[in-house]
Amino acid sequence: MSETASKALGTPAASPDAGRWKALVFIALAQLMVVLDATIVNIALPSAQQDLGISDGNRQWVVTAYALAFGGLLLFGGRIADLWGRKKAFVVGLAGFAAASALGGAATNEAMMFGARALQGVFGALLAPAALSLLAVMFTDAKERAKAFGIYGAIAGGGGAVGLILGGFLTEYLDWRWTFFVNIPFAIVAAAGAYFVIREPEGGRNRSSLDIPGVILSTLGLVALVYGFTRAESDGWSDSVTVGMFVASAVLLASFVLVESKVKAPLLPLRVITERNRGGIYLSLGLAIIAMFGLFLFLTYYLQIVKGYSPVKTGFAFLPMIAGMITGSTQIGTRLMTRVAPRLLMGPGFLVAALGMLLLTQLEIGSSYAALLLPAMLLLGLGMGTAFMPAMSLATQGVEPRDSGVASAMVNTSQQVGGAIGTALLNTIAASATTSYIADHIVGATSRSQQQLVQLEGMVRGYTSAIWFAVGILVVAAAIALTFVNAGRPGSSTVTGSGADVDAADDVQIPVVAH
């Protein structure tokens, strides 16, 4: 807190925790592990499927079991972090995630694999909001907060692509089981470091009784929503179970909102999401993730099937995107965040990413990596890194300490639901365009080589059709960020969530450091 703000409040400024930067290393390591896990298993899936005898119909559950548990329990995990304390939730989450990863690596049949993935999701849902809320309560100075969230944003954005590289290496040179076992050293180091280094500020716990109806309604509603989109990808949008899931999700989540507005100690206080800045961030982040997750999927298939890249070479092909994200988050975002309003980083950031996406609509079978994919990935990474960093910071800025866990959980929930929607929606659009193209052109292909060419052309046509939708989604995300997010730059006179100019001290949180 600044000296001016302290005087205005008549309170001595609390000295920041001396170990906060060391703590950031372990928090970032845990976040990297969770984000890696979302993509690393995808590369190993064909090998694991063959070893464990998983049928084609059931293989989606390796991904779906994790997504359902993680997405469904995030709000509950965030509330538990507020109740227990973030440090305890963080360490328990890491220990559980490591145990579940060991179980997955040692799996001998599909039931054991699915159970391990669901357990990873359960502990991930405790770990992810605890990590983000620890950052929120430990870094309160505007410039330090910008640096800390720059690093966190780079990992949140680029970790998925790192997972593709690591997954390719482990699968190709060791064994698919190492895509699970690799989590264990990550978790042990992060948990030990957190236990000895993190000193969570006191006075920020929410010790209210647990909102059981809210937990049940939110968990079932989110599980139904994520499963609806996952099933739509494999069984179609008109499938009766898919439609039933969407209807059930709408009813459950509407009931959840109603319950939260009535109960004394809600799981998700509506003040967290109705504040216009946070609402705008949750919405724009979710939309951006829809575009990103679909793109990861298409580019992985394009590079491996159309261009014939190996898993390792495919992973390395994503490096420019990772470099762009790290640069956008730690250099552009961090340096400008204390100088300009967050919307002036988020809006242009999403538009730069949309420009990169627009380049990819020109994909063809013979497209050059250096001439087309490289600049497109750089622009995507730069744009997303620049936008993610202020979004992550502002989503937890000005939140009452007792609400920081659920506010952090909402960031993760918007990303998780966005990922499920993106994979299903864009994949469906691509598959439809591919089928249509092949049906129109296969008749004229007489030889086997011509038929294969038509099928490859159809795949690429499907990807570019879906990428056009992704461009539009990113433009909408930029418009929402520019319209809804009206907070001033950190330390300016504009209070988060208010258009009025009042003293900056009114929005200052006062952490009391535990010794």
Side-chain angles (χ1 to χ4, degrees):
M1 191 192 328
S2 69
E3 192 178 332
T4 310
S6 300
K7 286 176 183 174
L9 289 171
T11 312
S15 58
D17 179 11
R20 63 195 179 283
W21 290 108
K22 289 180 188 173
L24 175 62
V25 173
F26 301 113
I27 293 168
L29 189 63
Q31 173 65 12
L32 179 62
M33 183 186 73
V34 173
V35 177
L36 279 178
D37 201 71
T39 53
I40 196 171
V41 174
N42 290 351
I43 297 277
L45 188 52
S47 305
Q49 182 185 353
Q50 193 174 354
D51 269 13
L52 301 178
I54 302 172
S55 68
D56 283 349
N58 283 344
R59 71 180 173 190
Q60 64 158 328
W61 284 100
V62 176
V63 175
T64 305
Y66 177 83
L68 291 182
F70 188 63
L73 291 169
L74 271 166
L75 284 176
F76 183 44
R79 177 67 181 86
I80 291 293
D82 286 337
L83 183 66
W84 285 358
R86 287 115 205 149
K87 177 178 173 177
K88 184 178 179 181
F90 185 72
V91 173
V92 169
L94 281 166
F97 201 90
S101 297
L103 190 66
T108 53
N109 55 50
E110 63 178 37
M112 195 170 165
M113 170 61 79
F114 300 157
R117 288 292 282 161
L119 267 180
Q120 278 187 315
V122 169
F123 286 104
L126 181 63
L127 174 60
L132 184 55
S133 57
L134 273 172
L135 280 193
V137 297
M138 291 181 80
F139 289 90
T140 52
D141 174 76
K143 286 187 177 178
E144 287 194 348
R145 187 181 175 91
K147 286 179 186 174
F149 276 89
I151 294 164
Y152 186 89
I155 290 169
V162 175
L164 295 171
I165 298 173
L166 193 56
F169 257 107
L170 294 172
T171 305
E172 204 163 310
Y173 297 118
L174 289 172
D175 185 70
W176 66 265
R177 295 181 185 278
W178 281 97
T179 60
F180 287 89
F181 291 145
V182 75
N183 289 330
I184 299 170
F186 273 108
I188 290 171
V189 171
Y195 183 80
F196 290 109
V197 171
I198 290 177
R199 297 286 179 269
E200 184 184 349
E202 286 179 351
R205 288 197 195 178
N206 185 342
R207 299 182 188 275
S208 309
S209 57
L210 201 56
D211 169 21
I212 301 298
V215 169
I216 294 169
L217 288 169
S218 69
T219 301
L220 292 178
L222 287 169
V223 164
L225 182 64
V226 173
Y227 184 55
F229 279 107
T230 305
R231 191 176 172 91
E233 186 186 354
S234 55
D235 295 70
W237 296 91
S238 57
D239 173 68
S240 57
V241 178
T242 303
V243 173
M245 282 292 151
F246 285 135
V247 171
S249 172
V251 171
L252 287 163
L253 292 176
S255 304
F256 170 67
V257 172
L258 186 65
V259 166
E260 298 308 274
S261 66
K262 305 285 186 190
V263 295
K264 186 179 177 183
L267 172 70
L268 175 64
L270 296 182
R271 61 180 175 268
V272 171
I273 54 172
T274 53
E275 196 275 301
R276 68 178 287 168
N277 288 286
R278 276 190 290 278
I281 282 166
Y282 297 147
L283 197 53
S284 60
L285 264 186
L287 287 169
I289 293 293
I290 288 175
M292 282 295 289
F293 262 65
L295 183 76
F296 275 144
L297 188 72
F298 298 144
L299 283 184
T300 302
Y301 276 103
Y302 173 79
L303 291 168
Q304 289 194 24
I305 296 172
V306 179
K307 304 295 277 187
Y309 284 22
S310 69
V312 171
K313 192 176 178 183
T314 300
F316 275 107
F318 280 96
L319 274 178
M321 191 186 292
I322 301 171
M325 281 184 174
I326 292 171
T327 304
S329 191
T330 62
Q331 299 304 311
I332 302 171
T334 301
R335 290 173 189 274
L336 294 181
M337 186 170 163
T338 53
R339 300 177 187 179
V340 300
R343 68 177 180 275
L344 299 180
L345 289 173
M346 290 178 66
F350 288 138
L351 289 175
V352 168
L355 184 60
M357 208 66 99
L358 190 63
L359 286 179
L360 290 174
T361 60
Q362 307 305 307
L363 266 185
E364 293 173 358
I365 290 178
S367 290
S368 160
Y369 177 83
L372 182 67
L373 275 82
L374 178 65
M377 286 199 203
L378 275 172
L379 285 171
L380 268 163
L382 276 171
M384 286 297 193
T386 302
F388 271 35
M389 186 261 152
M392 293 282 185
S393 177
L394 191 59
T396 52
Q397 188 174 308
V399 178
E400 295 177 37
R402 65 196 171 111
D403 293 335
S404 67
V406 287
S408 302
M410 273 302 299
V411 176
N412 289 288
T413 302
S414 66
Q415 290 179 303
Q416 187 63 26
V417 172
I421 295 170
T423 305
L425 178 64
L426 296 181
N427 210 29
T428 307
I429 293 165
S432 175
T434 297
T435 304
S436 176
Y437 182 88
I438 292 173
D440 290 345
H441 294 80
I442 200 73
V443 180
T446 50
S447 67
R448 184 175 176 78
S449 61
Q450 285 178 323
Q451 288 173 351
Q452 286 178 331
L453 187 63
V454 167
Q455 286 175 334
L456 288 176
E457 287 278 11
M459 283 177 68
V460 175
R461 185 65 60 93
Y463 301 155
T464 54
S465 298
I467 289 168
W468 272 112
F469 275 86
V471 171
I473 290 167
L474 281 172
V475 171
V476 172
I480 288 170
L482 289 166
T483 307
F484 281 78
V485 179
N486 69 344
R489 62 183 174 80
S492 73
S493 58
T494 308
V495 176
T496 303
S498 170
D501 286 342
V502 295
D503 197 297
D506 291 346
D507 197 40
V508 175
Q509 299 297 327
I510 313 168
V512 181
V513 181
H515 294 286

